[in-house]
Amino acid sequence: MSLAPRLDIRQSQSLVMTPQLQQAIKLLALSNLEIEGFIAEEVERNPLLEASAAEDGDAPDREPIPEVRDERVAADDLVSGTGAGDEPTLDVDYATESHQQDSVADGGSGMDGALSMTDASAGGTGGEDGPDLDAFADTSLSLADHLLAQAGPAVHRDDAFIAAHLIDQIDEAGYLTVSLLDIANRLGVALVRVESVLAIIQTFDPTGVGARDLAECLALQARDADRYDPCMARLIDNLDLLARGELTRLKRMCDVDDEDMADMIRELRGYDPKPGCRYGGEPAQSVTPDLFVARTKAGWAIEINASTLPRVLVNRSYYTELSGGQQDKTSKAWLSDCLASANWLVKALDQRQRTIIKVATEIVKQQEAFFLKGVAHLRPLTLRQVADAIEMHESTVSRVTSNKYVSCARGLYELKYFFTSAIQSADGGEAVSAQAVKSAIKALIDTEGAKILSDDTLVELLNAKGFDIARRTVAKYREALGIGSSVQRRRARTLEGAG
């Protein structure tokens, strides 16, 4: 056998993802707000792209964007321009349009997933006179700023650095998270000096701030209310007994009767266990819907939220101006790349919207009972079911439903919310959604009254409702809902009666 080197010619097939296809897949998984940031980067990089809301009279000539007739056209076809026809431009006057666009409505009882791209449906939300949502944001000072403002006149200037360090170690709930000895060693000062500064901080507003545990926090508030007598001190020192509901033992330790014990518990309930949370830290971030679902006379209307999607246009006049001058080979190649990239981005964004609408349409079709009657009628649904119905890959549906929210008459929901596991029916009927079972468990516990329902009792009641469910599943769903066990609920009910 010869071991000499030789050349062979072979043919093989392989799936290669172009950079454009990889980018198109990435765009599917981004939310509208993330798309806005991506577009801003592309506009900064590509001089032929525009993302603005210019008036019709000032708008430059732009390249018409053909509509992709086949919704299953691959991203490579979008880049090459195949499979597209001549359709009106997507450049419309947003100032005259409503906040919902790209409407998809079913023709009566069925939903065909058709995409309406008329001028009346391609508008942006609100004009210059629309509501300013930023005006509703929390503009109050953070807890640290609030404490530092009080420390200025209260703490001696030689101890100001100790106060600043202590305040920096106080978390959002108002608790000091580092031991005083560590702070003293870190700053190179005496422990008694750190303790004296902390005592001053614990007199600041809100009352209870700077405490090292819950007992100290409640004690500070009791002192401020002039209720920290020996009986209250013993009760605060034995919060673990109070949590277990051992009221008889507590009454004996505090040497009080039933009326005094009830009064002390009522006083403790009036205190704030997390005093720092009223000032907060970072303002709460609102969730912006990516889709709107509304019931109409003709059926369901599903629309992309255009208010978070800037218009992306190709400035044809600027391209003509640049290409008309003297250019070398490198400049011409760069300009051609910019034009191809701009054309691809506009078409890919349009295809992204179509794919999202198509997936959302099938979700609404499958979960129509939820939108009409509520969470109790949510059906079991998987990604594969939706993918098979719209003839797409399961991974595409997963990307479309990631980080996207839909606004409907019942509230704001993540698209992933509509995909739930199935619970078999006890009578052999149609399976039900796990979310529907959770809703039933919560409803039973909310109405249990004085008789606390155990998990075994919940299983029996759910079986009577037609849910074939095991006790461990009930316990898992109950814990997922943040509901305590029957023992914990009975103890809480006892404390409520005592208070």
Side-chain angles (χ1 to χ4, degrees), residues 158-196:
D158 294 338
D159 295 332
F161 73 100
I162 301 178
H165 191 79
L166 285 170
I167 291 173
D168 188 57
Q169 301 302 320
I170 294 176
D171 61 14
E172 293 182 355
Y175 289 89
L176 183 65
T177 57
V178 181
S179 68
L180 296 184
L181 184 59
D182 290 342
I183 294 177
N185 294 334
R186 188 182 306 167
L187 299 180
V189 297
L191 178 61
V192 64
R193 190 175 172 187
V194 178
E195 290 175 343
S196 64

Side-chain angles (χ1 to χ4, degrees), residues 11-12 53 68 75 82 87 107 122 166 178 208 247 277 290 304 307 310 334 347 370-371 390 441:
Q11 289 184 340
S12 62
V68 182
T82 59
E87 294 292 339
L166 285 170
V178 181
L247 299 183
C277 291
D290 301 272
I304 292 285
S307 63
W334 173 80
K347 295 175 183 178
F370 163 82
F371 292 98
I390 62 178
I441 293 174

Side-chain angles (χ1 to χ4, degrees), residues 106 109 111 293 295 300 360-381 408-410 413 417-418 430-433 435-436 439:
D106 62 325
S109 58
M111 299 185 67
V293 175
R295 181 71 172 173
W300 292 100
T361 299
E362 183 60 29
I363 292 176
V364 173
K365 181 180 179 181
Q366 296 283 350
Q367 301 289 6
E368 185 175 12
F370 163 82
F371 292 98
L372 291 175
K373 302 177 183 179
V375 67
H377 299 270
L378 196 64
R379 295 178 51 193
L381 186 64
C408 63
R410 299 196 172 274
Y413 297 89
Y417 175 82
F418 300 102
E430 186 178 1
V432 295
S433 167
Q435 289 292 345
S439 177

Side-chain angles (χ1 to χ4, degrees), residues 30-171:
L30 299 181
S31 65
N32 281 9
L33 296 181
E34 292 170 331
I35 285 290
E36 186 178 6
F38 173 80
I39 290 175
E41 295 178 0
E42 290 296 316
V43 170
E44 183 178 357
R45 186 183 64 85
N46 194 332
L48 299 182
L49 278 176
E50 281 189 358
S52 62
E55 299 295 335
D56 287 348
D58 300 330
D61 295 335
R62 296 174 174 89
E63 178 182 352
I65 304 301
E67 179 184 1
V68 182
R69 297 185 182 276
D70 186 1
E71 293 187 356
R72 296 188 296 273
V73 174
D76 290 342
D77 294 335
L78 290 177
V79 176
S80 62
T82 59
D86 295 332
E87 294 292 339
T89 176
L90 296 180
D91 181 17
V92 295
D93 184 7
Y94 277 34
T96 61
E97 305 302 335
S98 64
H99 69 283
Q100 298 179 352
Q101 79 299 322
D102 300 348
S103 175
V104 179
D106 62 325
S109 58
M111 299 185 67
D112 56 6
L115 182 63
S116 174
M117 296 295 296
T118 61
D119 287 0
S121 63
T125 193
E128 296 179 355
D129 297 332
D132 183 10
L133 297 182
D134 292 335
F136 297 97
D138 183 11
T139 57
S140 60
L141 290 175
S142 66
L143 177 63
D145 293 336
H146 181 64
L147 295 177
L148 288 173
Q150 299 176 77
V155 179
H156 193 274
R157 61 182 181 180
D158 294 338
D159 295 332
F161 73 100
I162 301 178
H165 191 79
L166 285 170
I167 291 173
D168 188 57
Q169 301 302 320
I170 294 176
D171 61 14

Side-chain angles (χ1 to χ4, degrees), residues 29 31 59 63 88 120 177 213 265 280-281 300 327 332 334 380 393 398 417 477:
S31 65
E63 178 182 352
T177 57
D213 52 37
I265 294 176
W300 292 100
Q327 296 178 338
K332 289 183 178 180
W334 173 80
H393 196 271
S398 177
Y417 175 82
Y477 287 172

